[in-house]
């Protein structure tokens, strides 16, 4: 059940957030119902804290919220997990995340599943670049097709620690996934252990995977 919080409801909690008492924040399924809450309060109060995980799944984040989250990720040296799945990401928000992925020094797990990301928007996120710390990426439920899979191949090649990537129901075909398999098999330094390509128009046999 989605909760709608008003500003006066959350304000008493701000001192608690600022006292180094938390290392995880999970506000999934909450709609704060006022502009730029994250940008003006919660994450700013945690800028010196040792947060390791933030989760705002299905929370109707706006572009100002996304910018605040990405700024925090870039500035943090402790954050390991970011989950903003089931929030619609505009092309501008995707571009902001592209910068974040390139600059983060700590983030290991990124969940941006079911965010309405198409092939063009995915290019804004990855743009042929990689990430040094990322190990796990969840892109399930974004219909970016083979165009997006090509950019993911380049991202995987340039992300030395990447171990798993979730690509379920992304509109990919054999052609797009073959580029991923070729990259993995041709890169002796790849640490990829798991690629989820369920619910796509693809066959295991055509990929040359046993």
């Amino acid at each position: 059940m989605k909760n709608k919080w008003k500003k006066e409801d959350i304000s008493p909690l701000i001192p608690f957030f600022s006292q180094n008492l938390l290392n995880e924040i999970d506000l999934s399924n909450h709609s704060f119902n006022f502009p730029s809450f994250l940008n003006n309060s919660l994450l700013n109060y945690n800028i010196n804290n040792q947060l390791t995980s933030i989760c705002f799944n299905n929370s109707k984040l706006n572009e100002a919220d996304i910018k605040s989250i990405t700024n925090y990720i870039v500035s943090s040296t402790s954050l390991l997990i970011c989950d903003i799945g089931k929030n619609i990401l505009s092309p501008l928000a995707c571009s902001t995340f592209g910068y974040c992925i390139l600059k983060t020094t700590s983030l290991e797990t990124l969940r941006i599943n079911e965010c309405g990301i198409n092939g063009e928007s995915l290019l804004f996120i990855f743009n042929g670049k990689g990430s040094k710390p990322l190990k796990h990426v969840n892109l399930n439920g974004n219909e970016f097709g083979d165009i997006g899979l090509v950019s993911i191949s380049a991202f995987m090649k340039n992300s030395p620690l990447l171990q798993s990537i979730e690509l379920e129901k992304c509109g990919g075909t054999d052609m797009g996934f073959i580029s991923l398999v070729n990259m993995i098999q041709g890169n002796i330094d790849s640490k990829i252990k798991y690629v989820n390509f369920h619910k796509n128009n693809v066959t295991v046999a055509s990929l040359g995977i046993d």
Side-chain angles (χ1 to χ4, degrees), residues 78-90:
S78 62
L79 191 68
L80 302 176
I81 300 171
C82 174
D83 182 350
I84 59 165
K86 298 183 180 180
N87 290 283
I88 300 301
L89 299 186
S90 68

Side-chain angles (χ1 to χ4, degrees), residues 2 4 30-32 56-62 65 86-88:
K2 181 176 284 293
K4 290 188 177 182
H30 288 76
S31 177
F32 300 108
F56 300 103
N57 191 285
N58 194 28
S59 294
K60 293 187 177 180
L61 300 176
N62 59 39
D65 296 331
K86 298 183 180 180
N87 290 283
I88 300 301

Side-chain angles (χ1 to χ4, degrees), residues 28-49:
S28 300
N29 302 308
H30 288 76
S31 177
F32 300 108
N33 204 28
F34 59 95
S36 307
F37 165 72
L38 297 173
N39 193 45
N40 295 324
S41 52
L42 183 56
L43 293 183
N44 285 343
Y45 278 89
N46 279 278
I47 199 67
N48 295 316
N49 291 3

Side-chain angles (χ1 to χ4, degrees), residues 50-82:
Q50 297 300 305
L51 279 176
T52 60
S53 176
I54 54 176
C55 180
F56 300 103
N57 191 285
N58 194 28
S59 294
K60 293 187 177 180
L61 300 176
N62 59 39
E63 288 186 353
D65 296 331
I66 295 295
K67 184 175 181 180
S68 178
I69 290 171
T70 54
N71 286 343
Y72 182 79
I73 293 172
V74 171
S75 66
S76 174
T77 58
S78 62
L79 191 68
L80 302 176
I81 300 171
C82 174

